[in-house]
Amino acid sequence: MRRTAVALTLLAALSCGSFAGSQAVSAASASAGGGGGGGGRGTNILVVGIDSRAGLSAAEKRRLHVGGKGCNCTDVMMLVHLSQNRRRASIVSIPRDSYVEYAATPATAAAPARRGKINGAFALGGGPLTVATVEKATGLHIDHYLETGFTGFEQTVDNLGGATVCTDRPLKDENSGLDIGAGRHLADGNRALRYVRARHVNLRPGDLGRVRRQQRVVNDLLARLAAEGALAGPISTARTVRTLLKTVRTDDRTGLDDLVRIGWALGRLRADRTEFATVPIRLFDHRVPGVGSTLVWDEARSAALWAALGADRPITGDTRIQPVAQNPAPADPARIAVRVDDAEVAAALRGNGFVVTDTSATAPAVRPSGPPVIRYATGQEDDAATVAAALPGSRPQVDPELDAVVEVTVGARPVQVRTVTFDRNVADGAPVTADRLRCAEAPAAAGAARPGSAAEPSGRR
């Protein structure tokens, strides 16, 4: 009874909203409202979570750490494409602040097209306008629509006995209440909700980092379902679908039989046949009067993404969606402070976008033999790797005594400085198969700890 409540809710439930006030939605009527539908191959499911506090008591808001003001808009949006042969699933996250043109409604058909954040479509026209706007923005036809909220996610995770969350560094976010240490943890529904909602973490703040964490939780929940045989057949899947429908609302074209077919198909997929991605972004802070800070899709790359899904092709390995940089960097040079004891190398790194302090005035008269040495503090691995990409042949060395500045000591060997390419889409949203996205550490022994206790690092507030 607690199985497929993830095969689809797993996606939707990464939501941020109260289920109160949700409404059934007709995909057919949504398309008629201006969506860019058009058949296509495979099955497309739009899964959303609503940012609304309606119906939540003060105690529930405190428990869920959602005391802020809701916007009655979609806070999480995932488009799930199940291939025609049911042998591949592509799960694409659409960031809530994506700047798009809304679909028309009968009331606005004669008015000029309105633009705004994609999450605002729900506030303007509920599920139907959300579906129609996604169809217009992607050119894909949405076959099924699912909607859930805060409590739906929490209950689903608790019913499954917890969710795996992982991070290679401690993560804190005052807004969501997230506070976990590095490593792999088993979290209950409440703490998993904090993990997937956090937008102001100390590492890669913003929507893309949050979306990747959501995808990782979805991935690990799917893996657990497969390992438990939860979706092994139509009977067991049907039992779980009934549990799903307690916390998730569907459109009027999505019945029990549809969810059983979808859940059963997802349960039989291999990890290397399940793909996760985020819509490629070109502008990460596009300011629009009256709208605020928005995300603008990369036109060519996002078009290639939707074209691949429309043609029922894989999205991983497609260089039109994710070009391969000549010298990729894992971190943004503009956010990396570097001290360099050679004036020429300092100038070249500065020209490459790094924040450089030239310390050549105090450099030794006789250079040490060998290549440049890059010293960095624990936790600055990505920064050091980015500097190393710019200085091929250099030797990175961790130094726990250092601060957040990376230090470069140039040796006697001639130094070549190469241009690096940082692509935030690669760092936080590149198409990847489930076997590569999964939390790397081995899970704790069964029964080692209860959800919520294993998830809590020592010293948690």
Side-chain angles (χ1 to χ4, degrees):
M1 291 293 293
R2 56 183 193 181
R3 321 245 186 195
T4 292
V6 174
L8 292 169
T9 304
L10 65 172
L11 317 165
L14 297 173
S15 58
C16 298
S18 167
F19 185 64
S22 297
Q23 57 186 305
V25 178
S26 168
S29 63
S31 296
R41 291 177 285 178
T43 302
N44 296 316
I45 308 116
L46 183 64
V47 189
V48 305
I50 309 305
D51 184 356
S52 170
R53 276 68 169 172
L56 292 179
S57 67
E60 286 176 315
K61 291 178 182 179
R62 287 193 298 269
R63 179 176 59 80
L64 296 171
H65 218 278
V66 294
K69 182 180 179 182
C71 64
N72 192 36
C73 57
T74 52
D75 191 61
V76 172
M77 183 179 291
M78 288 184 174
L79 195 158
V80 184
H81 175 82
L82 188 61
S83 66
Q84 182 71 28
N85 62 12
R86 297 298 190 262
R87 295 180 182 176
R88 184 183 65 257
S90 303
I91 301 168
V92 179
S93 295
I94 302 176
R96 54 174 285 165
D97 292 338
S98 298
Y99 189 54
V100 298
E101 185 175 286
Y102 297 135
T105 67
T108 63
R114 181 174 177 179
R115 298 181 65 87
K117 297 180 181 180
I118 200 166
N119 68 340
F122 189 90
L124 293 173
L129 187 61
T130 298
V131 170
T133 296
V134 171
E135 288 185 333
K136 182 173 185 176
T138 66
L140 299 173
H141 175 67
I142 302 301
D143 301 289
H144 303 288
Y145 172 91
L146 292 89
E147 176 189 310
T148 189
F150 287 127
T151 55
F153 175 69
E154 183 187 34
Q155 292 168 11
T156 297
V157 172
D158 284 340
N159 287 342
L160 284 168
T164 300
V165 301
C166 59
T167 174
D168 57 356
R169 307 179 197 182
L171 292 178
K172 292 185 180 183
D173 177 21
E174 297 292 339
N175 287 21
S176 73
L178 176 68
D179 186 357
I180 63 172
R184 178 182 176 121
H185 312 281
L186 182 63
D188 62 14
N190 183 283
R191 293 177 176 88
L193 181 65
R194 299 181 185 196
Y195 176 83
V196 300
R197 288 188 63 240
R199 301 181 71 199
H200 305 280
V201 293
N202 49 305
L203 172 66
R204 288 179 181 166
D207 264 355
L208 265 66
R210 179 181 76 147
V211 163
R212 197 51 123 186
R213 290 193 302 276
Q214 295 167 357
Q215 293 171 354
R216 183 167 280 115
V217 169
V218 168
N219 186 24
D220 279 295
L221 286 172
L222 276 173
R224 287 181 59 193
L225 288 175
E228 294 174 4
L231 305 174
I235 295 178
S236 60
T237 303
R239 290 194 188 104
T240 330
V241 165
R242 288 189 168 87
T243 299
L244 165 70
L245 293 176
K246 294 177 181 178
T247 55
V248 173
R249 191 71 61 92
T250 68
D251 66 294
D252 57 13
R253 293 175 56 192
T254 303
L256 180 66
D257 55 339
D258 297 301
L259 295 180
V260 170
R261 282 195 296 268
I262 294 167
W264 190 17
L266 288 172
R268 289 180 293 170
L269 289 174
R270 296 183 345 216
D272 63 350
R273 303 283 291 183
T274 304
E275 308 172 306
F276 291 86
T278 302
V279 181
I281 304 299
R282 178 172 61 85
L283 297 176
F284 286 89
D285 187 19
H286 177 58
R287 300 280 172 165
V288 180
V291 178
S293 177
T294 69
L295 301 173
V296 176
W297 295 353
D298 184 294
E299 291 83 354
R301 290 162 69 173
S302 62
L305 172 64
W306 308 131
L309 294 181
D312 207 24
R313 298 194 310 264
I315 59 176
T316 49
D318 189 331
T319 57
R320 292 168 299 181
I321 301 170
Q322 191 62 68
V324 179
Q326 186 174 8
N327 191 24
D332 186 355
R335 295 180 178 272
I336 302 175
V338 188
R339 286 194 288 259
V340 188
D341 69 351
D342 181 274
E344 290 186 9
V345 175
L349 288 176
R350 188 178 292 113
N352 213 338
F354 292 91
V355 180
V356 177
T357 299
D358 183 349
T359 62
S360 59
T362 59
V366 179
R367 296 284 180 177
S369 62
V373 174
I374 300 171
R375 296 168 56 239
Y376 62 95
T378 303
Q380 301 295 118
E381 289 78 11
D382 284 353
D383 291 354
T386 301
V387 177
L391 301 174
S394 56
R395 293 182 302 174
Q397 293 181 356
V398 64
D399 185 345
E401 301 300 320
L402 271 182
D403 52 18
V405 177
V406 177
E407 289 195 350
V408 176
T409 302
V410 177
R413 184 179 301 178
V415 178
Q416 175 191 10
V417 179
R418 295 183 60 193
T419 300
V420 297
T421 299
F422 170 71
D423 186 340
R424 188 171 170 186
N425 293 293
V426 174
D428 289 321
V432 63
T433 52
D435 53 327
R436 294 180 54 199
L437 186 62
R438 193 166 296 157
C439 292
E441 295 181 24
R450 294 175 291 102
S453 58
E456 295 303 320
S458 60
R460 184 181 180 275
R461 296 176 304 190

